[in-house]
């Protein structure tokens, strides 16, 4: 492979809509296919940077930056993560005896001291309206179950003669969050409760729900997963359902892709190399279950400023590129987690490289190749079949040469090679592609017939 001076090229599919159109069959659209997520969802989530504490003012500040800097590249889902209903939320820890804001039917409401526009029963609608006006979609986090406070007060369930204590399963609790009891879906009124929650979300204009404490243990929560799916259908508003946390059992792949658009393949993912290294195997295990409308989720991207502003990501620049290369070639959802108020140019470039995003949004036949210890290789085809994508990863702690024989991808002949991160043509290859890659580093190539 010959070297050369990098050259710039025109931006290809810069928006999620462009990538979506390229992925769907000829003459089809997202509406005609009926898929809520025909391509991997892209967006921003508050957890990595704000923990439980985000406010309305902070939400609007971040959403404004998102609309300006990330939306043109397709990042369009703005999500307020956990405990937006908790007036006393302070950090990544949870109050042992929370007093969440809720209505008279046990449905959580935004805490008005943090979200002033939600007062007088308005909920998230005023904030969602402003987010929508920016061209973004609005998402919220939701814990599985019914608030423990609702059970304590034994409030009535909307449209039924039953009360909260009648449907609560007080033996089903989240091991790390004290807010909710599970819902016993065998009880009359249980589905009506979930229906009431999602109808409230629909009235606010919610587009995306990250539902937590769902995927582990999966079988124990399966009925509530199905209940949430049905409640969205009954709400009258399309909403993407994202299940969290993992590790979702691969053996339940058929079930989870029927009832959710995204599901976590691991526990919370943070900026540590071991956690990133572990994701390779998980994505390999989930590869057979990915399809348009159903996406195994590697979790948010812990890039930029994190952890209530205390620090920047611990990933090295090479590890950051590996993260984005892997999430792109496996077509994981791309949900930025860093504080956009401190978005630097290097992180922005990493998130918005149009040629890399094209792999995430518009590729097919994605799959791993198992060749050598310390080496990971994935290939995929472009949506138009005219290009082969090759991602080479060095997962060792030392620089090494990684080589891939093109015959393993069914490719023969001579190819022009383009480095998607450099956005530059780097020569030709025949028989194999090869690169010297730094520790924990990667390359992402696009090959086309020479």
């Amino acid at each position: 492979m010959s070297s050369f001076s990098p050259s710039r090229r025109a931006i290809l599919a810069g928006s999620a809509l462009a990538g979506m159109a390229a992925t769907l069959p000829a003459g089809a659209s997202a509406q005609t296919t009926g898929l809520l997520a025909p391509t991997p969802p892209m967006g921003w989530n508050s957890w990595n940077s704000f923990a439980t504490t985000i406010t309305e003012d902070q939400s609007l500040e971040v959403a404004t930056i998102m609309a300006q800097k990330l939306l043109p590249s397709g990042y369009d889902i703005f999500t307020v993560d956990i405990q937006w209903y908790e007036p006393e939320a302070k950090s990544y820890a949870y109050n042992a005896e929370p007093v969440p804001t809720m209505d008279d039917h046990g449905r959580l409401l935004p805490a008005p001291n943090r979200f002033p526009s939600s007062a007088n029963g308005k909920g998230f609608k005023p904030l969602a309206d402003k987010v929508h006006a920016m061209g973004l979609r609005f998402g919220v986090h939701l814990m599985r179950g019914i608030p423990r406070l609702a059970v304590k007060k034994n409030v009535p369930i909307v449209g039924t003669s039953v009360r909260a204590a009648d449907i609560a399963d007080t033996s089903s609790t989240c091991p790390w969050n004290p807010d909710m009891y599970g819902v016993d879906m065998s009880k009359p009124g249980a589905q009506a409760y979930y229906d009431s929650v999602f109808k409230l979300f629909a009235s606010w204009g919610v587009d995306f729900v990250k539902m937590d404490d769902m995927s582990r243990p999966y079988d124990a929560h399966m009925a509530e997963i199905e209940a949430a799916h049905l409640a969205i259908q009954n709400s009258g508003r399309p909403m993407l359902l994202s299940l969290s946390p993992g590790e979702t059992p691969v053996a339940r792949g058929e079930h989870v892709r029927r009832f959710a658009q995204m599901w976590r393949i691991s526990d919370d993912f943070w900026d540590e190399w071991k956690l990133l290294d572990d994701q390779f195997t998980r994505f390999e295990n989930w590869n057979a279950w990915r399809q348009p409308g159903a996406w195994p989720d590697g979790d948010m991207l812990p890039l930029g400023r994190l952890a209530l502003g205390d620090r920047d990501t611990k990933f090295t620049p090479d590890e950051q590129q590996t993260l984005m290369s892997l999430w792109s070639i496996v077509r994981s959802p791309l949900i930025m987690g860093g504080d956009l108020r401190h978005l630097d140019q290097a992180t922005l470039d990493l998130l918005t490289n149009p040629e890399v995003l094209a792999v995430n949004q518009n590729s097919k036949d994605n799959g791993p190749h198992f060749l050598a210890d310390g080496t990971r290789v994935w290939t995929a085809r472009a949506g138009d079949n005219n290009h082969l994508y090759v991602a080479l990863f060095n997962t060792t702690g030392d620089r090494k040469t990684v080589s891939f024989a093109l015959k393993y991808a069914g490719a023969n002949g001579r190819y022009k090679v383009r480095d998607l991160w450099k956005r530059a043509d780097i020569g030709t290859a025949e028989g194999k592609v090869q690169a010297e890659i730094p520790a924990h580093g990667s390359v992402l190539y696009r090959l086309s017939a020479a």
Side-chain angles (χ1 to χ4, degrees):
M1 191 181 298
S2 60
S3 61
F4 77 119
S5 300
S7 62
R8 307 290 284 181
R9 58 172 271 173
I11 292 178
L12 294 177
S15 72
L17 293 179
M20 181 184 300
T23 303
L24 297 175
S29 67
Q31 289 73 31
T32 60
T33 61
L35 296 178
L36 289 175
T39 58
M42 301 172 65
W44 179 87
N45 177 288
S46 62
W47 173 251
N48 289 150
S49 45
F50 289 92
T52 62
T53 70
I54 194 166
T55 65
E56 183 166 359
D57 286 345
Q58 291 168 336
S59 296
L60 290 171
E61 186 177 7
V62 171
T64 299
I65 298 168
M66 180 180 173
Q68 293 170 347
K69 296 189 175 182
L70 295 183
L71 179 59
S73 295
Y75 295 85
D76 68 340
I77 302 173
F78 173 89
T79 302
V80 176
D81 208 88
I82 194 168
Q83 285 204 327
W84 40 267
Y85 45 82
E86 171 58 85
E88 303 299 326
K90 293 181 175 62
S91 68
Y92 286 97
Y94 303 104
N95 294 325
E97 296 184 8
V99 184
T101 306
M102 65 181 193
D103 69 8
D104 293 336
H105 299 284
R107 298 179 297 182
L108 296 168
L109 300 172
N113 64 322
R114 295 168 54 196
F115 299 92
S117 71
S118 70
N120 301 315
K122 294 178 182 176
F124 266 134
K125 189 175 191 315
L127 177 58
D129 286 348
K130 291 180 179 179
V131 170
H132 290 153
M134 299 178 194
L136 301 170
R137 291 186 280 176
F138 183 70
V140 295
H141 176 283
L142 178 67
M143 291 298 298
R144 176 184 65 89
I146 188 168
R148 297 186 191 184
L149 182 62
V151 178
K152 181 179 180 180
K153 293 185 174 183
N154 204 20
V155 300
I157 305 303
V158 174
T160 75
S161 60
V162 304
R163 291 182 173 268
D166 298 324
I167 65 170
D169 180 356
T170 57
S171 69
S172 176
T173 59
C174 176
W176 45 264
N177 176 275
D179 297 346
M180 315 288 268
Y181 289 125
V183 174
D184 184 343
M185 295 310 302
S186 69
K187 297 293 183 64
Q191 185 63 49
Y193 167 72
Y194 271 121
D195 286 353
S196 73
V197 170
F198 282 89
K199 284 178 182 176
L200 183 63
F201 284 1
S203 73
W204 294 345
V206 171
D207 304 295
F208 177 95
V209 180
K210 175 185 173 183
M211 201 161 179
D212 219 331
D213 190 35
M214 289 289 261
S215 295
R216 190 182 69 233
Y218 192 91
D219 288 10
H221 301 159
M222 190 178 290
E224 287 181 271
I225 292 171
E226 295 178 10
H229 172 83
L230 179 58
I232 290 174
Q233 292 182 320
N234 293 339
S235 76
R237 181 179 179 84
M239 287 180 255
L240 276 69
L241 181 60
S242 170
L243 301 185
S244 182
E247 186 169 339
T248 305
V250 177
R252 295 296 176 261
E254 181 59 42
H255 185 271
V256 72
R257 71 176 181 179
R258 285 177 56 204
F259 293 101
Q261 286 71 54
M262 293 167 49
W263 59 90
R264 285 271 295 281
I265 66 170
S266 70
D267 207 337
D268 283 7
F269 175 75
W270 280 95
D271 48 333
E272 300 175 16
W273 169 250
K274 184 183 185 306
L275 298 181
L276 177 51
D277 192 28
D278 289 344
Q279 296 297 68
F280 281 93
T281 299
R282 293 192 178 101
F283 280 124
E284 290 162 2
N285 291 340
W286 274 106
N287 192 51
W289 296 107
R290 182 187 58 251
Q291 65 182 27
W295 307 103
D297 176 20
D299 201 9
M300 282 91 73
L301 304 167
L303 301 171
R305 187 68 53 86
L306 303 171
L308 297 168
D310 288 347
R311 60 179 178 82
D312 290 330
T313 184
K314 293 182 287 187
F315 283 138
T316 67
D318 289 324
E319 291 168 347
Q320 293 176 51
Q321 180 173 304
T322 290
L323 168 61
M324 287 298 295
S325 296
L326 179 60
W327 263 235
S328 295
I329 195 71
V330 304
R331 305 198 73 190
S332 176
L334 296 177
I335 310 295
M336 171 59 172
D339 190 340
L340 299 184
R341 300 174 302 173
H342 302 277
L343 185 63
D344 61 277
Q345 190 61 47
T347 305
L348 179 62
D349 290 345
L350 194 73
L351 292 169
T352 60
N353 182 313
E355 301 184 40
V356 173
L357 293 183
V359 182
N360 178 268
Q361 292 292 294
N362 186 26
S363 61
K364 60 185 180 180
D365 301 331
N366 310 67
H369 302 268
F370 306 96
L371 301 174
D373 292 343
T375 297
R376 303 279 186 162
V377 178
W378 277 73
T379 60
R381 293 278 177 182
D384 58 9
N385 275 330
N386 289 335
H387 305 290
L388 174 69
Y389 295 120
V390 179
L392 307 178
F393 300 93
N394 171 17
T395 57
T396 73
D398 300 301
R399 178 178 291 271
K400 69 177 293 188
T401 298
V402 177
S403 180
F404 176 66
L406 295 176
K407 66 181 181 181
Y408 293 127
N412 300 295
R414 191 163 171 262
Y415 294 89
K416 294 183 290 185
V417 181
R418 184 171 181 84
D419 187 316
L420 300 188
W421 283 113
K422 294 178 179 178
R423 296 174 67 179
D425 299 324
I426 59 173
T428 61
E430 188 168 2
K432 67 179 181 179
V433 288
Q434 182 171 296
E436 186 177 351
I437 302 177
H440 301 172
S442 64
V443 296
L444 184 54
Y445 294 149
R446 188 185 72 221
L447 278 60
S448 54

